[in-house]
Amino acid sequence: MRNIAALFSILMPGFGQIYNGQFIKGVFFIIVEHFDNAFGHINEAIHENIRWKPTALAVGGRRGLYF
């Protein structure tokens, strides 16, 4: 069961907690992850970095490339 919860957590933080029955903690992690991605422009930086565009630094700053 722990392996399945770990897989869910890799897919999206909070899914593993929901799978284990920790609903409040899981929903909290999902909300925090959503706002972190939205306000940090992390997804745009990843997209620009994958496409090898030099604008990835402008989108996400230097921390956007430290994955």
Side-chain angles (χ1 to χ4, degrees):
M1 276 186 126
R2 293 185 82 170
N3 293 337
I4 295 172
L7 178 65
F8 283 151
S9 290
I10 289 171
L11 294 174
M12 179 73 177
F15 283 175
Q17 281 77 18
I18 291 174
Y19 179 78
N20 283 334
Q22 301 171 333
F23 296 109
I24 295 172
K25 189 175 181 182
V27 170
F28 174 74
F29 281 152
I30 290 172
I31 291 171
V32 167
E33 179 69 20
H34 171 72
F35 282 110
D36 184 38
N37 283 340
F39 292 120
H41 302 289
I42 294 172
N43 290 335
E44 289 97 358
I46 292 171
H47 181 72
E48 296 294 320
N49 197 18
I50 288 173
R51 293 176 58 207
W52 292 95
K53 290 186 126 186
T55 56
L57 285 176
V59 171
R62 281 228 176 258
R63 76 179 174 97
L65 296 177
Y66 295 140
F67 294 104

